[in-house]
Amino acid sequence: MSLVTILPFVVLIGAMFLMTRSAKKKQQQAADMRNQMQPGSGVRTIGGMYATVKEVSEDTVLLDAGPGVDLLFAKNSIGAVLTDDEYNRIVHGIEHDLKSDTDVVPDDASSLTETDGSADAAASGDQSVDLGKKDEDLGTKDAAEADEEPEKTAEEKTAAADEEPKKTDGDSDAKK
């Protein structure tokens, strides 16, 4: 056999070896993480439930999921052991790293509205509201010409519609 026929097999075996090696390394890291669990640490299960470790045995973990709720899980069903800050942020919504000098976004829009009387006056109709549309924005005609032009009658509208070219479904008289 030549080197050209053996080379694809060697590359395939090498790729399989690298993939199994990285998978074993991930499994070893997960096992180390589970072995470092201690009572009181926050965890997330592979199902997405957050709880506090109450007791750790060889193959199982007793989790406190709430007041009076103790759950027994297999150790390999723990997806992640969380730091105290991360667990409190996710479960209790407690942020420790907030800066007091930064602007805080309000929960509602009431603080974003005007507090002086100009908004109340505009709402009551005492002032006209400018919506940004000017007479120059009407196009080629100004507002005075638009008011002077009489409306078209129904006959003029149908005559204008008859003058427009008709749309066809692809049939053409030119090819007949």
Side-chain angles (χ1 to χ4, degrees):
M1 293 189 138
S2 72
L3 184 64
V4 176
T5 55
I6 296 175
L7 187 65
F9 292 112
V10 171
V11 170
L12 183 64
I13 291 171
M16 290 173 57
F17 173 74
L18 290 176
M19 285 191 288
T20 57
R21 182 174 171 222
S22 66
K24 284 182 182 179
K25 189 181 277 188
K26 286 181 184 179
Q27 286 177 349
Q28 184 63 38
Q29 287 175 346
D32 290 342
M33 180 240 351
R34 289 184 189 113
N35 289 333
Q36 293 176 358
M37 280 188 299
Q38 297 175 356
S41 60
V43 295
R44 182 186 66 232
T45 65
I46 59 174
M49 184 183 73
Y50 293 92
T52 306
V53 176
K54 195 169 184 181
E55 188 179 304
V56 179
S57 66
E58 190 172 324
D59 292 332
T60 61
V61 178
L62 186 64
L63 300 179
D64 181 19
V69 180
D70 292 338
L71 303 169
L72 186 64
F73 275 85
K75 234 183 188 180
N76 62 0
S77 66
I78 303 300
V81 177
L82 308 173
T83 63
D84 290 337
D85 289 340
E86 186 177 9
Y87 181 76
N88 287 332
R89 181 183 58 82
I90 293 170
V91 175
H92 303 295
I94 299 171
E95 293 284 339
H96 289 290
D97 297 330
L98 289 179
K99 295 180 181 177
S100 61
D101 58 345
T102 59
D103 293 333
V104 177
V105 178
D107 290 338
D108 60 351
S110 64
S111 65
L112 301 175
T113 58
E114 296 179 16
T115 57
D116 58 359
S118 62
D120 296 333
S124 64
D126 293 343
Q127 296 177 352
S128 63
V129 177
D130 181 23
L131 298 177
K133 193 76 170 173
K134 305 277 188 256
D135 289 341
E136 303 90 41
D137 293 341
L138 289 176
T140 57
K141 299 179 186 179
D142 39 8
E145 290 178 9
D147 292 339
E148 292 175 5
E149 185 177 330
E151 286 222 15
K152 293 182 179 181
T153 63
E155 296 172 357
E156 291 174 345
K157 289 180 182 176
T158 56
D162 290 339
E163 292 175 6
E164 293 179 10
K166 303 273 184 180
K167 293 182 181 178
T168 62
D169 292 335
D171 297 335
S172 170
D173 294 333
K175 292 184 181 179
K176 288 184 180 179

